[in-house]
Amino acid sequence: CLEGELVCDNDLGRRDAPLARQLVAAGFGSLALAPLSGADGSVAGVLLAVRRGTPLQSGDCEFLAQLARHVALATHHAALYARLQHSYDELRGAQQRMLEQERLRAIGQMASGIAHDINNALAPALLHADALLEHDGALGESVRSRLDAIRRGIEAVAATVARLRELYRPA
């Protein structure tokens, strides 16, 4: 049977094998073994049928052989389905990862645009504050202190924007 052949035996009592002795002890006299052959012809399993009393007929053995072919085919289809399901799950995971990467890329582009706009808005204010502090000697200490506070605030915002750029910089 392990070589792919149907085995029918109606006289288990004459066999000196552990399985045959156990079946005879349990009251069985006939046995049929049908191979569950894979698509490549290898034996993936064995279908066993035993009978008490009346011997197995050729029709019984043929039925078992047909049943074994159907069981082997169903097993093969179940394995194919499992592999297909696994492939589908992997594909779905890859699609999810691609969508997440695309979403992160879009967020990065948006953040880059916002950072650019913030820097463009801050640049003139910083230039004017620096120019006033450097070239206008008539400014009082109170005004100079306020302009310096404005300049430090602008530089702090620019530093924050620079740190944000590090988050979305392409690898």
Side-chain angles (χ1 to χ4, degrees):
C1 184
L2 294 177
E3 294 173 3
E5 298 293 324
L6 175 69
V7 174
C8 286
D9 188 347
N10 283 320
D11 190 10
L12 288 178
R14 66 180 170 82
R15 298 255 180 207
D16 187 31
L19 177 60
R21 285 194 303 270
Q22 288 176 338
L23 291 173
V24 169
F28 296 103
S30 298
L31 140 100
L33 297 167
L36 298 175
S37 299
D40 61 355
S42 65
V43 176
V46 174
L47 191 60
L48 167 69
V50 292
R51 180 179 276 174
R52 288 187 171 105
T54 60
L56 290 167
Q57 303 297 314
S58 63
D60 299 328
C61 292
E62 184 55 36
F63 173 77
L64 189 62
Q66 292 293 327
L67 180 61
R69 282 193 275 283
H70 288 289
V71 169
L73 184 61
T75 302
H76 178 68
H77 285 170
L80 287 176
Y81 177 78
R83 287 199 320 254
L84 178 64
Q85 186 64 44
H86 178 73
S87 295
Y88 176 73
D89 291 343
E90 285 182 343
L91 176 62
R92 187 174 31 207
Q95 287 173 332
Q96 290 296 337
R97 286 188 298 277
M98 282 179 43
L99 286 173
E100 182 65 16
Q101 287 174 350
E102 182 60 27
R103 185 182 71 80
L104 290 173
R105 187 189 63 75
I107 289 171
Q109 284 181 334
M110 183 178 70
S112 176
I114 291 170
H116 182 75
D117 291 347
I118 290 172
N119 280 336
N120 285 347
L122 292 177
L126 185 59
L127 286 173
H128 289 299
D130 283 342
L132 285 171
L133 284 169
E134 289 178 19
H135 301 295
D136 197 341
L139 295 175
E141 192 55 40
S142 173
V143 173
R144 283 187 171 286
S145 174
R146 289 181 184 149
L147 282 173
D148 193 46
I150 290 170
R151 188 179 57 66
R152 283 193 315 271
I154 291 171
E155 287 173 346
V157 171
T160 300
V161 169
R163 285 193 309 272
L164 286 174
R165 278 193 173 153
E166 291 300 317
L167 294 176
Y168 62 79
R169 187 176 309 263

